[in-house]
Amino acid sequence: MTLKVNDWKQVGHVYLWRYSARRSKHAGWHMTADGDGCASIADLLDRMSAEAVGHHRTIALNAPSPEIFSVPNFGEPIREKPGTLRIAYEPGYPDFEPSIADGRMILRVGEEELPDLRSAFVEVSTGGGDFALWPKDKKAATPIWFWWMPRQGKTRF
């Protein structure tokens, strides 16, 4: 039995933030999620891919704690964040495109780029990070950087 997009429910926590414009090397948005959040998003993307029709789902975002936004070691983030993340799956769309509209991050993705987005959350769930997904036209859009979650009282390795 195929699991349906309409039956999906978010679990876990997802975090999204950005730093001031003077941080050109890692400009763009920054994202992480706890293990449950990563698994939940991967499950959603699997369901979208299996149904192979356009769908969108809205993800609740959490404010990153100082421990979370300190992982990249870029200082304080800008104290703004989108209220939600909308993943808009359009199978024929040939790219991955983040944008902001009406106080939410909209992440438009097609079947060609969906595996990379799914892999990003799988990588974060296993402690990986410090990589970005970029739209194909890197000059016209900003990336989303993915980071590992901090571990309480433990080092990364």
Side-chain angles (χ1 to χ4, degrees), residues 84-127:
T84 57
L85 165 67
R86 173 172 275 191
I87 298 177
Y89 177 61
E90 299 172 26
Y93 185 67
D95 205 353
F96 161 89
E97 179 187 1
S99 62
I100 297 292
D102 299 325
R104 79 170 61 178
M105 165 71 70
I106 299 172
L107 191 52
R108 189 174 173 204
V109 63
E111 67 184 330
E112 187 177 322
E113 301 297 324
L114 186 124
D116 289 341
L117 180 59
R118 185 188 187 282
S119 293
F121 284 99
V122 171
E123 181 75 15
V124 168
S125 76
T126 62

Side-chain angles (χ1 to χ4, degrees), residues 24-94:
S24 61
K25 183 178 179 197
H26 287 120
W29 290 93
H30 298 261
M31 178 176 269
T32 194
D34 63 16
D36 289 340
C38 287
S40 183
I41 301 253
D43 176 45
L44 172 61
L45 298 174
D46 287 344
R47 290 173 188 228
M48 288 177 162
S49 179
E51 287 190 32
V53 296
H55 279 289
H56 60 81
R57 284 295 168 268
T58 300
I59 313 300
L61 296 172
N62 300 92
S65 68
E67 292 80 21
I68 291 171
F69 67 67
S70 294
V71 167
N73 199 22
F74 295 157
E76 289 278 324
I78 296 172
R79 290 291 178 192
E80 64 159 320
K81 74 167 183 65
T84 57
L85 165 67
R86 173 172 275 191
I87 298 177
Y89 177 61
E90 299 172 26
Y93 185 67

Side-chain angles (χ1 to χ4, degrees), residues 11-27:
V11 297
H13 297 91
V14 179
Y15 306 90
L16 183 70
W17 70 97
R18 66 183 181 150
Y19 297 98
S20 69
R22 68 179 188 267
R23 304 252 182 230
S24 61
K25 183 178 179 197
H26 287 120

